[in-house]
Amino acid sequence: MIPVQGYEGRTLAILGLGRSGRTAARALAVGGASVVAWDDGPAGRAAAEAEGIPLRDLSREGAFAGIDALIVSPGIPHLYPQPHPAIAAAWEAGVPVDNDIGLFFRSIAQADWADLAVAPKVVAVTGSNGKSTTAALLHHVLTEAGRESQLAGNIGRGVLDIEPPGSGGVVVLELSSYQTDLARSLTPDVGVFTNLTPDHLDRHGGLGGYFAAKRRLFAEGGPDRCVIGVDEPEGRYLANQMVEGLGDDRLIRVSSGRKLTGGWSVFARKGFLSEYRKGRQTGSIDLRDIPGLPGAHNHQNACAAYAVARTMGLAPRVIEEGFRSYPGLPHRSQLVADRDGVRWVNDSKATNVDSALKALQAFDRIRWICGGLAKEGGLGGLLPAAGAVVKAYVIGREAEAFATELRGVEAEVCTTMARAVQRAAEEARPGEVVLLAPAAASFDQYDSFEKRGDDFAALVDAIT
């Protein structure tokens, strides 16, 4: 555990008692602070009471008397669409509001770091899509290369729950916009921006607010090195702001689909990763036959992970070995079965149109299981990949409405996952892929995209 520094003998309040909230309470206590906490749900309060964490309703008048700071869990709105009443009360009381990411960055440097031969480093990965795969892939490559690495944040363990890193250790964090938006301290050694597509717009007051939350990691964090995807205007804007010119090697630009010129760059074209520095090619990897990284979207993730690994001193050959042994993440282009010439792929994490489009573009001859709680903007963005779809099997409570938006795609309304898997199994032919890429949230039928993906995998296992 990372003991929180700077609050010894002081009292902090915690709002939200899920994984991050309870871990923050323990880390604060280890650091010598006192804690009170609240959760709007009875289950969260019960879990806190079981751990001996004192409860206080932070929405009540006078609740912030004697409180030095409020620590907020990432799922709780602090500005849009409207601030939680407890956060508004903290503002009125003049109490600083932070989150566990802010506590982590102010506490990660321990007193014994001066005695370490090589100072530890923190890599923070953000973006709309691919950040989980990029972070997990980098962690895998580092571990396979014999480097001490810990994976935390939105993936793996809570940021304060990891062990203090040793000499030369690396902490790889996946950070969402909910986390970067509020953290009062953001000081990664390497910052990674994968890409930007519309998501969480209600939480950030629009696309500009969403990008601003991501940009804080760089503009306020001031990382020593930046790895930035430049396939969207926001990435190109951010990359331009972080350097003095093309010769500034504090920046590594990343692209999937086009060659980059000038400066330090890593890009993938037609399945081949290339690294260029000072006008010369310094590394390359054939990504086409790496099973854990199918499709152009995963090639972009590979480029970002490769770039960070190069800043850590790893050779291209060592990185490629790590890529080839990477097993992939559950629910992200995960091969769950290969039977009678038909591949079954679980990409339940494709909860928006852009991520589903990238999943569709990774395969040919697709029997596509899709649907769920649709997000704003409609499904028009999926049409460029419609030619690869043999047939769609639509699930969700609003399956009929979802199916009508799939113009030019043969679609069958199945409503349930069980029916969709059954129908796809009956109709799939050798050489085809049955792909779960919902392009929608799961909450109309499942508690999470993980539960949805697990259901798909279990049904496929039963059939195959």
Side-chain angles (χ1 to χ4, degrees):
M1 176 162 284
I2 305 294
V4 174
Q5 302 181 45
Y7 290 108
E8 185 175 357
R10 300 165 73 182
T11 301
L12 282 80
I14 294 176
L15 179 63
L17 290 165
R19 180 188 70 167
S20 66
R22 296 200 306 276
T23 300
R26 293 191 292 269
L28 282 161
V30 172
S34 298
V35 169
V36 298
W38 185 253
D39 192 290
D40 292 334
R45 297 196 295 270
E49 285 186 310
E51 292 191 31
I53 301 172
L55 296 177
R56 181 188 297 185
D57 187 343
L58 298 174
S59 298
R60 291 184 177 178
E61 186 175 351
F64 284 92
I67 299 297
D68 293 291
L70 172 64
I71 307 303
V72 178
S73 293
I76 299 173
H78 58 269
L79 186 56
Y80 301 112
Q82 61 184 22
H84 188 281
I87 295 175
W91 294 346
E92 289 296 321
V95 172
V97 180
D98 203 349
N99 62 15
D100 64 330
I101 304 301
L103 296 180
F104 169 85
F105 277 111
R106 70 179 289 161
S107 306
I108 182 63
Q110 304 291 307
D112 64 352
W113 277 27
D115 301 324
L116 299 179
V118 180
K121 291 186 180 296
V122 177
V123 179
V125 183
T126 194
S128 296
N129 298 309
K131 55 186 180 292
S132 295
T133 297
T134 299
L137 178 60
L138 173 62
H139 168 66
H140 176 81
V141 168
L142 291 168
T143 302
E144 291 295 294
R147 297 283 294 271
E148 176 195 318
S149 178
Q150 298 182 78
L151 183 63
N154 243 17
I155 188 173
R157 301 166 68 180
V159 292
L160 295 170
D161 195 37
I162 66 172
E163 299 303 317
S167 179
V170 181
V171 178
V172 182
L173 302 181
E174 181 207 333
L175 299 182
S176 72
S177 58
Y178 294 177
Q179 295 168 309
T180 58
D181 197 18
L182 190 59
R184 297 173 71 91
S185 179
L186 284 168
T187 55
D189 296 283
V190 182
V192 181
F193 177 85
T194 58
N195 50 57
L196 193 87
T197 58
D199 207 359
H200 309 305
L201 301 188
D202 59 334
R203 178 67 181 265
H204 296 292
L207 185 61
Y210 176 51
F211 176 53
K214 303 286 189 185
R215 181 176 174 271
R216 288 192 75 243
L217 182 66
F218 302 87
E220 299 187 28
D224 296 331
R225 276 241 165 78
C226 302
V227 175
I228 298 178
V230 294
D231 287 337
E232 294 86 30
E234 292 86 356
R236 293 191 286 274
Y237 167 82
L238 182 59
N240 182 266
Q241 287 208 316
M242 301 310 297
V243 293
E244 298 298 324
L246 280 178
D248 190 341
D249 67 2
R250 292 175 298 175
L251 168 71
I252 306 176
R253 295 179 300 146
V254 166
S255 176
S256 175
R258 66 190 182 100
K259 181 177 181 179
L260 300 176
T261 58
W264 194 352
S265 61
V266 181
F267 56 88
R269 294 181 68 201
K270 299 181 180 179
F272 288 88
L273 179 151
S274 299
E275 176 191 6
Y276 275 77
R277 192 170 185 183
K278 297 179 180 178
R280 294 190 308 108
Q281 184 170 1
T282 53
S284 65
I285 299 175
D286 184 352
L287 302 171
R288 294 173 300 173
D289 62 344
I290 297 180
L293 298 169
H297 61 304
N298 275 312
H299 295 174
Q300 183 188 54
N301 302 332
C303 288
Y306 175 99
V308 178
R310 292 289 282 146
T311 72
M312 301 290 171
L314 270 61
R317 176 185 54 80
V318 173
I319 300 171
E320 180 175 1
E321 291 174 357
F323 282 4
R324 294 196 176 279
S325 62
Y326 175 65
L329 282 176
H331 316 296
R332 297 162 176 87
S333 296
Q334 177 192 17
L335 181 66
V336 296
D338 189 341
R339 178 95 178 252
D340 298 329
V342 177
R343 288 180 292 164
W344 297 76
V345 177
N346 168 19
D347 204 331
S348 184
K349 183 63 170 64
T351 58
N352 58 42
V353 166
D354 184 74
S355 55
L357 174 64
K358 290 175 178 176
L360 290 169
Q361 290 173 331
F363 304 99
D364 297 314
R365 299 173 61 191
I366 300 167
R367 293 192 179 271
W368 177 29
I369 299 178
C370 58
L373 192 62
K375 298 185 177 181
E376 294 180 8
L379 304 177
L382 293 167
L383 297 182
V389 177
V390 177
K391 184 176 178 179
Y393 305 84
V394 187
I395 65 172
R397 294 179 185 173
E398 299 179 355
E400 290 189 14
F402 197 100
T404 60
E405 287 200 57
L406 300 176
R407 296 185 300 276
V409 176
E410 181 186 353
E412 179 177 336
V413 174
C414 296
T415 306
T416 66
M417 183 71 76
R419 176 66 176 169
V421 169
Q422 177 188 351
R423 292 292 295 134
E426 291 170 351
E427 298 185 344
R429 298 291 179 264
E432 294 181 343
V433 174
V434 180
L435 172 67
L436 171 65
S442 61
F443 303 121
D444 58 334
Q445 293 181 313
Y446 299 93
D447 292 338
S448 65
F449 73 83
E450 292 95 341
K451 294 289 187 184
R452 177 172 60 190
D454 289 342
D455 188 26
F456 171 76
L459 290 164
V460 171
D461 184 62
I463 287 176
T464 60

